[in-house]
Amino acid sequence: MTGSLLFVGECMMEIRNAEKEGIKHSFAGDSYNSAVYAKRWFKDHRVAFYSSLGDDPISEMMLASWQSENIDCSLVCKSDHRLPGIYAISIDELGERKFSYWRKDSAATEMMKLLDQNGRSAALGHFDCVYFSGISLAILSDDCKERLLTLVAKLRSGGTAVAFDPNYRESLWADESHARSWIKRAYRCCDIALSGLEEHEQLFAHHSVDDVNRFLNALGVKEIVIKGGGSGVYAFAEEDLIYHKPFCAAPRQVDTTAAGDSFAGTYLAARVAGWEVSDAVDSATEVAREVVQHCGAIVDEKLTFWERTRDIFRLGA
């Protein structure tokens, strides 16, 4: 079963030290990463990415990179006076990453204004699922946050399932109160929540998976997937636990960048294809487990892992 997914957010130039190879660059960002992994998992899906770019060589390289991943870029807008964001990444001996950002006033921060100015919001058409994250919200002005929530609500009213991952990054918000307010509003707009216990502990003082589930149920979320760290992944529907995937550590952890993004993209691609929640969680967990064993947000698709794992899960679906 093929379907269509729209991912909304920011993509940036990623800079990292590759030791013998010196400084290397690539392109990444949480919603974009999810779009790539969704497309790789189900190549027949239509996977579109909405953001805005500048009118500059880096933006041209970025767009070409998106197109090389077979992402539908027809909705992307261009700013004539802003540039893409940049971030540098460093990894410690345990594979945990530290980021340094240059993203203030990036082209992507204008994406909702540009969408309206270019009349493309009316031309979005129908998607089976639209995904955005707390980062997609956080980089926008409050006025543009409002526009984004209005857009997803409009898509939802037309039958599109809305998926949201809070993906909380403290430095992007004015304060925790500001983040809590907008993240709660985003949850109220969504059908599928992809949440993390750790961020809910920080933002909402939720100390258990059950706390998070009760909170999201009260906000009207129907399909709830909670990443519980060392306790594994939990999936709920209508308040009931329907699946638990115990944690299984990767053989090695090189770089945790995009672990959650790859989980989200794979999970949503599987659900749009009609897979059961349990199968979607299993496949998403397996992809994330593989991603953390490699450097960078986007793993080289030439690795045999991709075809081997897709075949295993498709034969069992």
Side-chain angles (χ1 to χ4, degrees), residues 120-142:
R120 294 194 182 184
S121 57
L124 282 175
H126 174 76
F127 289 88
D128 294 310
C129 180
V130 59
Y131 170 87
F132 70 111
S133 74
I135 293 177
S136 307
L137 273 177
I139 65 169
L140 304 174
S141 67
D142 283 359

Side-chain angles (χ1 to χ4, degrees), residues 63-101:
L63 184 61
S65 178
W66 300 352
Q67 292 168 336
S68 74
E69 293 284 353
N70 296 309
I71 302 297
D72 179 351
C73 303
S74 61
L75 298 172
V76 174
C77 294
K78 284 195 174 183
S79 169
D80 59 6
H81 62 286
R82 293 197 176 182
L83 301 172
I86 299 173
Y87 72 95
I89 185 168
S90 57
I91 311 293
D92 67 19
E93 62 276 7
L94 297 177
E96 293 298 332
R97 71 271 198 224
K98 180 179 180 181
F99 298 101
S100 300
Y101 291 99

